[in-house]
Amino acid sequence: IIDEFMPGLDGLGLVRQVRAQPAWRDVPVVLLTAAADAPFAAAAVQLEKMQPAKALRKPCDVGEALGAIEGLLKARARPQERVQKPTN
């Protein structure tokens, strides 16, 4: 979970750095932002290109955050399940 507005490097910049590392490329990311509609939409579009990721607007409720995390983890597990299933 990363805040978009941090001192020095913003959240999207941090996600780009994480995605540049092969070992971290598939780590799910939730980006929190207090941005208004247009900046939020722009951040969400940029983040969509860096899957697996989800943008949430602050303040968000716990259910929304947990739902985003659960969805990202389930999506991440699906390809692994396909690989691990035995073929008969």
Side-chain angles (χ1 to χ4, degrees), residues 1 3 7-8 10 12 24-25 31 36 52 54 58 60-61 67 72-74 76-77 82 85 87:
I1 299 175
D3 196 312
D10 68 12
L12 289 172
W24 295 91
R25 192 166 290 141
L31 180 77
K54 174 79 174 159
K58 294 190 293 185
C60 69
D61 64 55
L72 289 168
L73 292 175
K74 283 182 180 179
R76 183 175 182 219
R82 285 194 292 265
K85 287 184 181 176
T87 55

Side-chain angles (χ1 to χ4, degrees), residues 7-77:
L9 181 66
D10 68 12
L12 289 172
L14 179 58
V15 174
R16 286 186 193 97
Q17 286 186 1
V18 167
R19 294 292 188 251
Q21 303 298 317
W24 295 91
R25 192 166 290 141
D26 296 325
V27 172
V29 173
V30 175
L31 180 77
L32 296 177
T33 181
D37 289 340
F40 174 78
V45 167
Q46 288 183 33
L47 196 63
E48 292 284 322
K49 297 175 185 175
M50 297 183 252
Q51 291 294 325
K54 174 79 174 159
L56 298 177
R57 190 178 326 210
K58 294 190 293 185
C60 69
D61 64 55
V62 173
E64 182 181 17
L66 290 176
I69 293 166
E70 183 178 10
L72 289 168
L73 292 175
K74 283 182 180 179
R76 183 175 182 219

